Amino acid sequence: MHEVSAVEYTFFRILRLLRRLPFNPMSVGNHKVIFLEYFKNFDKVNAVKGIFGEKTTEILSHLTVELSWIFGYMYVDGSDGHLVISKNYLNNGNKTDIYLDLIHELCHVKQFMEGKELFDPRYDYVERPTEIEAYRYCVQEARRIGLSEERISCYLKTEWMSEDDLKKLAKSVDLDLI
Ligand SMILES: [Zn+2]
């Protein structure tokens, strides 16, 4: 009999949470939803509780998510701290990547609530303390759910990051790029 480890179990449970998303690709324009109504049970995920603590459920029940036709992935809007997510990415992106991106962006939501400047122009993207904190946390979660170092390296490689920036970032989050 195949025994499912706790890590695998968490991982598949998370993927199942994402698979049930009520996508409606026919809807036109951007629309807003409440995080917890859309990403159901995310307040039960340990990595998310690790960000917001006791207030997790309350915060996620008030967090607005704007589902958008933007190209790309997701980001926190610096004007009011709501989350903007590309519908195309949600529909077609890799579920594990989406999960890790959500963890990353929720770190930024927390930072925004603490009054931190998310787009501080004094820093390059990969050297910005808010980014390093978010990447560190999400790499830690990636390891916890059992992703290999190779898979995590893949996750960090995005088409808009130069090879040099990628190396800097990997160093900051203690990842040996593969
Ligand atoms: Zn970020």
Side-chain angles (χ1 to χ4, degrees), residues 17-173:
L17 287 177
L18 287 169
R19 207 170 300 136
R20 285 197 193 133
L21 293 180
F23 292 126
N24 181 2
M26 297 307 285
S27 62
V28 177
N30 294 2
H31 70 281
K32 291 187 174 179
V33 293
I34 294 295
F35 188 95
L36 201 50
E37 287 172 10
Y38 202 74
F39 298 104
K40 289 193 198 328
N41 291 322
F42 256 65
D43 56 333
K44 311 284 189 301
V45 174
N46 280 331
V48 178
K49 286 197 273 189
I51 299 170
F52 300 109
E54 285 175 0
K55 294 198 163 169
T56 303
T57 307
E58 189 191 332
I59 289 167
L60 297 187
S61 336
H62 291 98
L63 176 61
T64 301
V65 178
E66 180 181 353
L67 300 169
S68 161
W69 289 107
I70 54 156
F71 287 104
Y73 309 102
M74 57 181 89
Y75 64 92
V76 171
D77 182 302
S79 63
D80 65 357
H82 79 275
L83 192 57
V84 183
I85 308 181
S86 154
K87 288 186 193 188
N88 179 51
Y89 182 48
L90 274 182
N91 283 323
N92 304 313
N94 174 282
K95 298 288 186 236
T96 306
D97 289 352
I98 293 173
Y99 171 66
L100 293 175
D101 283 358
L102 285 169
I103 298 295
H104 178 113
E105 294 308 326
L106 289 175
C107 288
H108 288 325
V109 168
K110 166 88 182 308
Q111 292 163 345
F112 181 88
M113 290 167 62
E114 291 170 342
K116 291 182 181 154
E117 173 57 72
L118 297 183
F119 301 99
D120 194 334
R122 288 174 301 163
Y123 300 96
D124 284 339
Y125 178 77
V126 294
E127 288 170 341
R128 203 172 289 149
T130 48
E131 288 305 333
I132 292 173
E133 185 185 32
Y135 274 108
R136 268 186 172 275
Y137 193 74
C138 111
V139 165
Q140 180 192 313
E141 174 63 0
R143 287 185 175 130
R144 199 193 60 83
I145 63 175
L147 299 192
S148 67
E149 297 294 288
E150 189 178 4
R151 176 66 179 82
I152 300 171
S153 298
C154 257
Y155 169 70
L156 286 193
K157 283 175 202 161
T158 41
E159 63 278 9
W160 46 270
M161 204 184 289
S162 74
E163 196 66 27
D164 274 359
D165 281 352
L166 176 65
K167 280 180 190 155
K168 271 187 211 163
L169 180 64
K171 194 159 185 271
S172 302
V173 300

